[in-house]
Amino acid sequence: MIKQNPITILCYLFFVIFITMFSTNPIMLGISFMSAILLYCSLQGLKKTAIKLGYSIVFVVIVMAINPLFSKQGMNVLFYIGELVVTLEAISYGIAIGVMFSSVMIWFSIINVLLDSDKISYIFSKYTPKIGTILSVSLGLFPKYIAQYKKIDNNLKGLGLYEKVNFLGKIRLKLHAMSTLITWSIEGTLTLSDSMSARGYDLKGKRVFLRYKFNLSDIVMLLLTLACGITLLVFMGIGSINYYYYPTFNKIVWDSNVWIYFVTFAFMNVMLLINEWGRIKWQFTISRI
């Protein structure tokens, strides 16, 4: 139930992702990861969120296991694997990097949910219409390609071709399905190109239809995003909440900069509150019918 202007949504998520990417502070990463999971759950439901959370945990475990292979720093030695030294700092840093990347991937998944091809086209069409058209068409084609590949592969299975071959034969059938998909996509692209030319996409001076407009709530949200986002990035840049894992952990001091954590938590959950408030209003409206 998020009805904000697409430009406002993109700006908000842009700052959230940047704050997540440039932070190694465990509290900041925990806030970002938890906020991303909650918003994704609110948008996509519990089942898809559980799957996304499972993939994220697996990814974090993999990064945690791999990082000690490349980093032998740290003062708290846990154990040895041959000549390999595994330290608590290396494992902790691997967890932090894994959580950071997982959070960023979830935030990008949220972008994919909130900004469909129509909204992407709106964002870029006014100033860079060619880029907007390319992005909107691309976002629409990828799901079609995946569905078409499954259809081709299912047809091969329906013919019983997979039952008569060994492992290498199955790989050849997969490649055959991919080749068929490429041929189909080329034909579809030519048809799409002719259709877009017939509709005047390549004409100069054409006017663009804009469905979305800025209202007062969009302006307030955009100003809030710019104020909070820039403030947090500036204070992160000057090292107010820096956290170091090597050579050993530095303490998280609850000093005058503790407000940054509360502002980050509130900022990263604004969109969640907007979505839940819209859901409550919608349920209340339905109940009155």
Side-chain angles (χ1 to χ4, degrees), residues 245-280:
Y245 294 83
Y246 303 116
T248 188
F249 310 103
N250 66 315
K251 294 182 179 180
I252 298 178
V253 181
W254 298 95
D255 54 10
S256 58
N257 292 321
V258 71
W259 62 270
I260 297 178
Y261 301 130
F262 294 102
V263 172
T264 303
F265 179 82
F267 177 62
M268 289 190 174
N269 286 281
V270 167
M271 202 63 70
L272 173 64
L273 293 176
I274 293 175
N275 187 58
E276 290 302 317
W277 175 246
R279 193 192 307 276
I280 292 171

Side-chain angles (χ1 to χ4, degrees), residues 121 124-125 128-138 196 201:
S121 179
F124 293 99
S125 60
T128 54
K130 292 183 178 180
I131 294 178
T133 302
I134 292 172
L135 289 175
S136 61
V137 171
S138 299
M196 293 176 68
Y201 274 81

Side-chain angles (χ1 to χ4, degrees), residues 213-255:
K213 295 182 180 181
F214 270 96
N215 52 36
L216 181 60
S217 63
D218 292 315
I219 296 174
V220 172
M221 181 65 185
L222 189 59
L223 293 175
L224 178 66
T225 298
L226 293 174
C228 292
I230 293 174
T231 301
L232 290 173
L233 288 175
V234 168
F235 276 89
M236 289 171 58
I238 62 178
S240 298
I241 53 173
N242 280 354
Y243 188 84
Y244 302 100
Y245 294 83
Y246 303 116
T248 188
F249 310 103
N250 66 315
K251 294 182 179 180
I252 298 178
V253 181
W254 298 95
D255 54 10

Side-chain angles (χ1 to χ4, degrees), residues 42-270:
S42 178
L43 294 171
Q44 294 292 88
L46 189 60
K47 183 177 180 180
K48 291 185 177 180
T49 304
I51 296 173
K52 184 75 67 175
L53 183 60
Y55 282 127
S56 299
I57 293 174
V58 172
F59 180 78
V60 171
V61 171
I62 292 173
V63 176
M64 178 191 70
I66 291 176
N67 188 61
L69 300 177
F70 299 94
S71 177
K72 300 180 181 180
Q73 303 179 59
M75 298 177 63
N76 297 297
V77 178
L78 295 178
F79 53 87
Y80 294 86
I81 303 178
E83 297 182 356
L84 177 64
V85 180
V86 179
T87 64
L88 180 60
E89 288 81 2
I91 290 180
S92 300
Y93 187 71
I95 294 174
I97 295 299
V99 171
M100 185 266 287
F101 277 108
S102 297
S103 301
V104 171
M105 287 188 289
I106 296 172
W107 284 115
F108 272 111
S109 299
I110 291 172
I111 290 179
N112 192 38
V113 173
L114 294 179
L115 299 179
D116 54 17
S117 59
D118 185 36
K119 293 178 180 179
I120 292 292
S121 179
Y122 160 76
I123 293 172
F124 293 99
S125 60
K126 186 175 181 180
Y127 304 101
T128 54
K130 292 183 178 180
I131 294 178
T133 302
I134 292 172
L135 289 175
S136 61
V137 171
S138 299
L139 290 173
L141 287 179
F142 278 118
K144 292 181 181 178
Y145 287 161
I146 295 173
Q148 184 66 20
Y149 175 80
K150 292 181 179 179
K151 187 184 297 184
I152 296 170
D153 195 52
N154 288 333
N155 287 336
L156 296 176
K157 292 179 181 178
L159 294 173
L161 299 180
Y162 277 95
E163 299 175 0
K164 304 176 182 179
V165 295
N166 54 17
F167 179 73
L168 292 178
K170 291 181 180 180
I171 293 178
R172 292 192 187 97
L173 288 174
K174 294 289 185 183
L175 293 175
H176 175 71
M178 184 61 67
S179 175
T180 306
L181 175 66
I182 293 173
T183 303
W184 175 84
S185 65
I186 292 174
E187 294 176 355
T189 301
L190 293 175
T191 304
L192 180 62
S193 176
D194 293 339
S195 175
M196 293 176 68
S197 296
R199 297 179 184 183
Y201 274 81
D202 53 355
L203 294 178
K204 293 184 178 180
K206 69 181 188 325
R207 301 179 67 181
V208 180
F209 172 70
L210 302 178
R211 280 181 53 190
Y212 306 96
K213 295 182 180 181
F214 270 96
N215 52 36
L216 181 60
S217 63
D218 292 315
I219 296 174
V220 172
M221 181 65 185
L222 189 59
L223 293 175
L224 178 66
T225 298
L226 293 174
C228 292
I230 293 174
T231 301
L232 290 173
L233 288 175
V234 168
F235 276 89
M236 289 171 58
I238 62 178
S240 298
I241 53 173
N242 280 354
Y243 188 84
Y244 302 100
Y245 294 83
Y246 303 116
T248 188
F249 310 103
N250 66 315
K251 294 182 179 180
I252 298 178
V253 181
W254 298 95
D255 54 10
S256 58
N257 292 321
V258 71
W259 62 270
I260 297 178
Y261 301 130
F262 294 102
V263 172
T264 303
F265 179 82
F267 177 62
M268 289 190 174
N269 286 281
V270 167

